[in-house]
Amino acid sequence: MNTTTTASNDGGKKEERKQSGTYEAGCHCGYIKFSVTLSPPFPVYKVLNCNCSVCSHLGYLLVYPKAKDVAWHNNSRERCASYRFNTKQKDQMFCPKCGASLGIDFESVFKEHTYGINARTFYGLNLDELEYKKGDGVNKVPPAGDLSGHVWDEDAQELK
Ligand SMILES: [Zn+2]
């Protein structure tokens, strides 16, 4: 991890404060690699542990960097496979080689292009040392509800 550190003067008391951290991340096989800069860095940056059906089924523990703070290596964004459901506005991104669950592309949803990146993809990161905030997406993020197990149309043989 690389961190940028600045000294701030706080009431005459000098204090070192890390303002951001840049982390290398990617899928399990290495086909997809990227780096993510978070402000503030872990563990001050809190990871969203949400109970919605997609977060639980895709194993998401999300952080939300702006697109400018995500650097895709080796054309990795274009390498991602994606899954869309319900409103079909955002890509749930996966590695097509190893299946690792990478996160969400909110390009068409938020005014400023933002990603939800799965903290599980960060290399060498101890998830037990992170701070989490609970998300209640299953009740609070419309038009959610629990869609798990009901997106595939067995008769049409396609995603609804
Ligand atoms: Zn992979």
Side-chain angles (χ1 to χ4, degrees), residues 22-106:
T22 299
Y23 307 87
E24 292 302 317
C27 69
H28 189 265
C29 75
Y31 182 61
I32 297 198
K33 288 182 175 170
F34 51 94
S35 58
V36 178
T37 298
L38 296 176
S39 305
F42 293 135
V44 181
Y45 193 107
K46 290 191 170 47
V47 179
L48 182 66
N49 181 7
C50 174
N51 63 4
C52 86
S53 65
V54 80
C55 283
S56 62
H57 278 256
L58 304 187
Y60 286 156
L61 294 172
L62 293 178
V63 297
Y64 291 88
K66 303 296 183 195
K68 66 177 172 56
D69 293 323
V70 178
W72 297 95
H73 309 320
N74 307 325
N75 220 25
S76 280
R77 177 63 188 91
E78 287 69 30
R79 288 181 171 188
C80 290
S82 65
Y83 164 56
R84 290 186 166 204
F85 69 102
N86 200 9
T87 60
K88 302 207 168 93
Q89 288 183 315
K90 41 193 189 280
D91 286 340
Q92 315 290 329
M93 304 179 291
F94 296 88
C95 173
K97 308 288 185 190
C98 70
S101 178
L102 306 167
I104 307 167
D105 188 340
F106 289 106

